[in-house]
Amino acid sequence: MKTLRLILGDQLSEHISSLKNINKKEDIILMAEVWDETKYVKHHPKKIAFIFSAMRHFAAALAHRNYQLEYIKLDTKNKNSSFSSAVKDTVKKHAITKIIVTHPGEYRVLTEIKNWTKSLNIDVEIRDDDRFMCGIDEFAEWEQKFKQPRMEFFYRYMRLKHNILMTNHKPIGGKWNYDNDNRKPANNSIKPNKIFKVKPDKITQEVIQLVSDTFSDHFGDVEPFYFAVTRQDALKCLQHFIENNLSNFGDYQDVMLEGEPWMYHSHLSQYINIGLLTPKECIVAAEQAYKQNKLPINCVEGFIRQILGWREYVRGVYWLKMPEYYQLNHLEAKGKLPNFFWSGKTKMNCLKNCITETKQNAYAHHIQRLMVIGNFCLLAGLDPKYVNEWYLLVYADAYEWVELPNVTGMILYADNGYVASKPYAASGNYINKMSDYCKKCEYNVKEKTGESACPFNYLYWNFFINNKSLFRNNPRLAFVYNTLNKMDDSAINSIVKSSEKFIKNLRTDYES
Ligand code: FAD
Ligand code: DLZ
Ligand code: SF4
């Protein structure tokens, strides 16, 4: 009996469940560069180059270990290839009788895989993706126990279950969460370290050429390309982070500075998501740094919470709520993306910086994604459909299981507060405190309304005016509505007028 072991582009680990108990003499591993995956959204060229190069390096490592491998390179002439066509051809070529695959990261792909039993008349086994530290069924069981299944409770459950940063079943340091210590504002003395970069080898250079020849109409710059594409280099990136950035990670987690896209973040998400690193080893490395090198608890706990808490939580939410989650639009937002989401050309200096850096690096750090770009999408009333598409294609770490709950849930409140207890809305004041963007902006962050006022200032109030019936009874927004209630009619009128004008101009922008 010959079994096909299918490895998808974000499953690049020799310990992936689809390879367990493989018969090296009989079984065939299939990896395929296929058009459908490059086309379902027009991914950033750096993301495609990253995935293809990492796939080719991983395939070479497998071949070196004497696995039998069928590796299909992108056929630039036939643009109709898909996972299904690649599997069908390989099943026929090798007289395969069974397919084994690890659970994919996207609902769309799961549906495709489930069809093969019928369309190919073959046994298909879908194995759990045990790179995640919480199973899909386990999350669903945990979630049932809560009226409001918030990330913070889930995170505590995970800390206890995996015995991370615990002592005698209690959180080390006495507190579960040190987020209040992790909000230091921007200041001139912050000087982030150089990031870990890898020089492209021959395989990567070939892929860069392929991508620039083939996907030149996609948003983003393929070069300079400096991502790690092997497990060895991804491990070096993890070490670089632990040694150089983790000790500042907590303090400056929310800070944004012009010309400093990487700050003290780890830049590990794309490696974890694709399988070059496991979430567990990143968590363990940080915990060890706390124990051995006495790194500050707020930094280590903050970093671990992102991976053990948020990352696992959003994955649980995705599989629990799909496919309905994809359709959600609780605030009935209808706006399209303005052109500057593609060009970066806007007078709003914060957005200009974050979008331009996204275009260059296929990366933006969390606060740029959440409180600048995301905040704008929320306040400007952009339709979740377009916002999700944008976030899914622009970042090198984007797969729907992680992108969708962050966009629909965290930034757009489109799930009616399942993920976020209140909308992550902020005026220019927040961006001014956490960044140096406002200093060079054509808008004035101190002005509330009018032509030269920071658009975030009036859009913020306008959002809460427009959504009064939904939010006025939310206790976490009591301060917002208390302030609004004290505003006189002319102030409200000015906010509404400035907002209407701004949104009308946005419409002209995307319709042009
Ligand atoms: P660090 O700041 O160093 O954080 C450490 C790790 O924690 C990350 O590598 C990541 O694995 C994990 N993490 C942190 N926050 C989250 C989160 N909210 N959800 C899941 N994991 C998290 N992350 C993705 O991996 N893919 C996405 O497509 C993605 N889309 C996002 C869209 C929006 C609107 C927002 C607000 C966040 C999104 N995130 C996404 C989460 C987060 O912004 C990125 O994981 C992070 O910026 C990656 O950079 P880093 O590795 O330097 O992270
Ligand atoms: C994102 C992506 C791209 C652009 N190309 C491929 C590909 O050619 N072959 C492949 O196996 N995977 C690719 N991927 C990653 C897949 O889209 C990803 O595995 C699924 O979306 C499931 O998460
Ligand atoms: Fe952004 Fe407003 Fe500051 Fe300009 S003034 S950078 S638009 S927050």
Side-chain angles (χ1 to χ4, degrees), residues 241 249 253 262 264-270 272-273 303 305-307 310-312 314 363-367 369-371 374 391-392 395 397-399 401-404 406-407 410-411:
F241 167 67
F249 176 86
Q253 201 176 339
W262 312 97
Y264 296 104
H265 292 270
S266 69
H267 327 129
L268 293 174
S269 53
Q270 70 206 57
I272 307 175
N273 293 353
F303 174 71
R305 174 158 27 90
Q306 306 311 314
I307 300 186
W310 277 111
R311 187 174 186 277
E312 297 286 332
V314 296
Y363 176 87
H365 70 67
H366 187 64
I367 293 301
R369 295 188 205 195
L370 179 68
M371 297 310 293
Y391 273 94
L392 187 57
Y395 293 115
D397 58 18
Y399 301 90
W401 66 265
V402 54
E403 173 278 324
L404 184 66
N406 271 299
V407 169
M410 204 182 301
I411 67 170

Side-chain angles (χ1 to χ4, degrees), residues 192-467:
N193 300 301
K194 283 197 174 138
I195 65 157
F196 178 80
K197 288 186 178 176
V198 178
K199 199 167 163 239
D201 64 4
K202 198 160 167 283
I203 296 179
T204 303
Q205 282 168 14
E206 268 174 33
V207 167
I208 292 171
Q209 194 58 53
L210 168 76
V211 170
S212 47
D213 291 347
T214 319
F215 302 103
S216 56
D217 59 330
H218 289 204
F219 165 88
D221 310 336
V222 69
E223 289 188 284
F225 188 92
Y226 34 72
F227 294 152
V229 288
T230 61
R231 173 160 168 77
Q232 290 84 335
D233 282 338
L235 279 168
K236 284 186 200 156
C237 187
L238 170 60
Q239 196 183 351
H240 177 89
F241 167 67
I242 300 282
E243 285 170 7
N244 299 289
N245 288 349
L246 181 56
S247 58
N248 280 314
F249 176 86
D251 288 3
Y252 302 119
Q253 201 176 339
D254 292 1
V255 171
M256 299 169 282
L257 296 178
E258 272 214 29
E260 297 289 356
W262 312 97
M263 294 302 296
Y264 296 104
H265 292 270
S266 69
H267 327 129
L268 293 174
S269 53
Q270 70 206 57
Y271 305 132
I272 307 175
N273 293 353
I274 204 177
L276 298 183
L277 296 174
T278 67
K280 182 89 188 263
E281 72 194 340
C282 298
I283 290 168
V284 168
E287 190 180 31
Q288 266 172 9
Y290 168 72
K291 290 184 176 157
Q292 289 165 10
N293 305 335
K294 310 260 179 297
L295 291 196
I297 184 72
N298 67 310
C299 296
V300 173
E301 185 282 314
F303 174 71
I304 288 178
R305 174 158 27 90
Q306 306 311 314
I307 300 186
L308 187 65
W310 277 111
R311 187 174 186 277
E312 297 286 332
Y313 176 79
V314 296
R315 196 251 184 172
V317 169
Y318 178 78
W319 287 108
L320 186 69
K321 300 286 178 188
M322 279 298 279
E324 293 78 17
Y325 204 78
Y326 185 75
Q327 306 290 342
L328 299 180
N329 186 359
H330 185 64
L331 304 181
E332 296 178 1
K334 294 195 173 59
K336 291 190 184 157
L337 297 193
N339 281 336
F340 66 73
F341 270 64
W342 307 110
S343 67
K345 287 185 188 141
T346 162
K347 290 197 298 177
M348 298 174 79
N349 195 37
C350 51
L351 280 165
K352 183 171 140 188
N353 270 273
C354 296
I355 293 170
T356 307
E357 288 170 0
T358 297
K359 190 164 182 272
Q360 289 165 346
N361 305 321
Y363 176 87
H365 70 67
H366 187 64
I367 293 301
Q368 295 178 305
R369 295 188 205 195
L370 179 68
M371 297 310 293
V372 177
I373 306 173
N375 189 21
F376 180 82
C377 295
L378 174 76
L379 300 185
L382 306 190
D383 186 327
K385 188 170 62 189
Y386 304 119
V387 181
N388 271 302
E389 186 191 18
W390 189 84
Y391 273 94
L392 187 57
L393 70 87
V394 299
Y395 293 115
D397 58 18
Y399 301 90
E400 200 178 75
W401 66 265
V402 54
E403 173 278 324
L404 184 66
N406 271 299
V407 169
T408 282
M410 204 182 301
I411 67 170
L412 296 181
Y413 205 82
D415 65 354
N416 192 18
Y418 182 85
V419 165
S421 56
K422 69 177 177 71
Y424 276 92
S427 67
N429 193 27
Y430 172 85
I431 296 172
N432 191 30
K433 187 172 141 208
M434 301 314 295
S435 79
D436 62 358
Y437 295 146
C438 302
K439 285 183 195 154
K440 290 198 193 150
C441 188
E442 290 186 40
Y443 292 107
N444 186 340
V445 74
K446 301 285 175 205
E447 286 178 31
K448 304 266 175 276
T449 52
E451 286 290 307
S452 54
C454 165
F456 279 109
N457 288 346
Y458 45 79
L459 290 176
Y460 173 83
W461 291 111
N462 189 56
F463 173 81
F464 286 109
I465 293 167
N466 281 345
N467 292 296

Side-chain angles (χ1 to χ4, degrees), residues 486-500:
K486 283 181 207 146
M487 280 187 199
D488 59 29
D489 285 354
S490 92
I492 301 265
N493 211 7
S494 222
I495 288 167
V496 172
K497 279 227 160 89
S498 291
S499 303
E500 280 174 358

Side-chain angles (χ1 to χ4, degrees), residues 97 150 152 201 512:
T97 51
R150 298 276 177 234
E152 183 61 31
D201 64 4
S512 68

